Amino acid sequence: LFAINFNVDNSVNAQTGNTYFISSTTGNDGNAGTDIRLPWRSFANLKNLVLMPGDKVLLLRGDTWDERMTIHANGTEKNRVYVGPYGDLNKPAPTISLKNDRDDICIVVQDLISVHPFNVGLRYIHIDNLRLVNSRIGIFFRGAVSQESKGIKVTDCYFQNMDCEPVMTAMLNRDNIFGELNSPKGNLDTFTGSYQTSGGGNAEYVWPAAIVIGGRRGHPESRTGFSEIEIHNNIFENCITGVLA
């Protein structure tokens, strides 16, 4: 019952692209990561990696991480970038568990990257069969610099306790709602004519949510469009919002 199989569309050629294995219990970030016997330990190596059509990021079933995963994905309709599980089918789905802090996001999928040309696009990515818990946001599909993103898909994921008590208390008391909206948050990078390592998140979201689809600062001249969105067969438990756009 040990498997590398993944839930992909019949139209996807599962043999294309690179596969990256990650295990919090058996991995080492100095490993190649592309060999199932030599997985990475953390998500650090993904941060500046551009995932191309058919690439896969596989997390070991039964393992847990207490860190954010940042993904840059530019797949195609027939060869999506895939993020999902591998390993013993009897073990639970891979888990990312944070602390419900103001800046907590389990997975950020974004087009903005720190090196020229700074925009790698955000197209055709499938996130599948993960367990995301105890965070302000589960998955943030963030179109920070693209004019058009498409083909995002989330299936069979379990979202639990997407909440942030300080933010919710302030919102329910109508305490500085617009200040929270317009302030930097999420420890996100940004692009304001040049790449900045911090300062992102303003005018991008407020409410805790399992899935957020959006990005771009709230200027009329810089709007983001998303299309071909598939979100199905997920479980939302104790989440302030399920899907927020």
Side-chain angles (χ1 to χ4, degrees):
L1 291 177
F2 189 88
I4 310 178
N5 63 303
F6 22 80
N7 301 327
V8 295
D9 293 339
N10 291 332
S11 61
V12 175
N13 180 356
Q15 301 303 311
T16 62
N18 298 312
T19 301
Y20 302 94
F21 300 93
I22 307 178
S23 169
S24 64
T25 56
T26 65
N28 186 308
D29 286 341
N31 288 341
T34 52
D35 187 327
I36 194 172
R37 299 163 298 181
L38 297 170
W40 291 331
R41 179 189 62 80
S42 75
F43 304 143
N45 289 327
L46 292 174
K47 189 168 185 180
N48 290 312
L49 183 66
V50 178
L51 298 170
M52 301 305 289
D55 283 355
K56 303 161 198 69
V57 175
L58 303 183
L59 311 185
L60 185 62
R61 289 183 176 92
D63 279 7
T64 299
W65 291 261
D66 61 358
E67 61 180 304
R68 174 184 301 176
M69 176 190 290
T70 299
I71 293 288
H72 301 94
N74 203 2
T76 64
E77 186 173 6
K78 291 188 176 181
N79 285 290
R80 295 177 185 265
V81 172
Y82 177 85
V83 180
Y86 77 101
D88 190 340
L89 296 173
N90 290 318
K91 291 187 176 180
T95 298
I96 300 176
S97 178
L98 304 181
K99 297 180 179 179
N100 297 108
D101 288 339
R102 179 177 180 270
D103 292 337
D104 279 356
I105 307 172
C106 290
I107 301 176
V108 175
V109 183
Q110 69 173 23
D111 49 12
L112 178 61
I113 196 166
S114 61
V115 295
H116 186 80
F118 307 110
N119 178 10
V120 298
L122 198 174
R123 296 189 171 206
Y124 295 105
I125 177 170
H126 182 187
I127 297 180
D128 175 59
N129 215 331
L130 302 181
R131 185 172 178 266
L132 307 175
V133 303
N134 304 328
S135 183
R136 181 174 180 174
I137 295 175
I139 306 173
F140 186 11
F141 293 97
R142 184 180 184 234
V145 285
S146 294
Q147 292 295 332
E148 182 179 348
S149 300
K150 64 171 60 177
I152 61 176
K153 184 175 183 178
V154 183
T155 59
D156 295 294
C157 289
Y158 175 71
F159 300 89
Q160 182 185 46
N161 194 26
M162 294 296 134
D163 197 353
C164 183
E165 192 277 332
V167 170
M168 289 305 300
T169 297
M171 296 302 101
L172 294 174
N173 292 334
R174 298 183 179 274
D175 179 18
N176 197 25
I177 294 176
F178 290 104
E180 176 64 23
L181 171 64
N182 289 308
S183 62
K185 51 190 168 290
N187 287 328
L188 294 164
D189 48 357
T190 189
F191 189 84
T192 55
S194 62
Y195 176 81
Q196 307 293 326
T197 58
S198 61
N202 52 325
E204 295 186 24
Y205 63 88
V206 175
W207 303 104
I211 301 170
V212 174
I213 302 168
R216 294 295 287 248
R217 299 178 63 204
H219 300 310
E221 69 273 14
S222 59
R223 299 189 178 183
T224 301
F226 281 84
S227 61
E228 300 179 37
I229 300 168
E230 300 178 62
I231 298 172
H232 57 86
N233 208 37
N234 301 286
I235 295 174
F236 305 97
E237 181 178 339
N238 296 330
C239 299
I240 296 298
T241 314
V243 180
L244 177 68

